């Protein structure tokens, strides 16, 4: 059984959540490109994007409307990449 692949929620509770999910979905291709540039591996890049989406959606209350969503998501992705590198180094 492969890794879990969550999708963006289709039934957000508020209009703000729906808008945030829409904007995140629009930025997904950019996140995928950034992840591939870091990981140099398509499979790992997809895992990093999924981790980023999970973290962003679970911490959406931390994002400040009016700030750059793409920068926030890229920072989450970069931190996920660092976490992955640390895990691989320990093994």
């Amino acid at each position: 059984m492969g890794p879990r692949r969550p999708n963006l929620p289709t039934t957000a509770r508020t209009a703000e959540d729906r808008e945030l999910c829409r904007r995140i979905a629009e930025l997904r291709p950019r996140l995928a490109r950034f992840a591939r540039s870091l990981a140099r591996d398509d499979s790992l890049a997809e895992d990093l994007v999924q981790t980023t989406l999970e973290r962003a959606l679970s911490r959406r209350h931390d994002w400040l409307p009016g700030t750059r969503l793409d920068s926030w998501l890229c920072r989450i992705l970069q931190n996920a990449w660092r976490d992955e590198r640390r895990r691989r180094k320990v093994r």
Side-chain angles (χ1 to χ4, degrees), residues 24 27 31 52 56 69-78:
I24 289 173
L27 291 169
L31 291 173
T52 299
L69 181 60
D70 59 339
S71 295
W72 184 64
L73 292 171
C74 286
R75 175 56 66 186
I76 293 171
L77 194 145
Q78 191 171 31

Side-chain angles (χ1 to χ4, degrees), residues 44 47-52 54-55 59 76-91:
L44 179 55
D47 290 345
L48 289 170
V49 170
Q50 291 297 322
T51 299
T52 299
E54 286 178 5
R55 290 179 184 181
R59 300 175 188 160
I76 293 171
L77 194 145
Q78 191 171 31
N79 289 340
W81 168 240
R82 287 182 180 144
D83 292 345
E84 179 62 29
R85 287 182 58 205
R86 278 189 214 109
R87 266 193 294 279
R88 287 174 180 236
K89 195 175 194 180
V90 171
R91 289 184 191 176

Side-chain angles (χ1 to χ4, degrees), residues 28-73:
R28 188 160 196 217
R30 180 175 176 196
L31 291 173
R33 283 191 306 274
F34 183 47
R36 280 192 301 275
S37 75
L38 293 173
R40 304 278 188 227
D41 176 273
D42 288 343
S43 178
L44 179 55
E46 181 60 28
D47 290 345
L48 289 170
V49 170
Q50 291 297 322
T51 299
T52 299
L53 297 177
E54 286 178 5
R55 290 179 184 181
L57 292 172
S58 69
R59 300 175 188 160
R60 65 184 171 266
H61 61 277
D62 290 340
W63 178 68
L64 301 172
T67 60
R68 290 188 54 169
L69 181 60
D70 59 339
S71 295
W72 184 64
L73 292 171

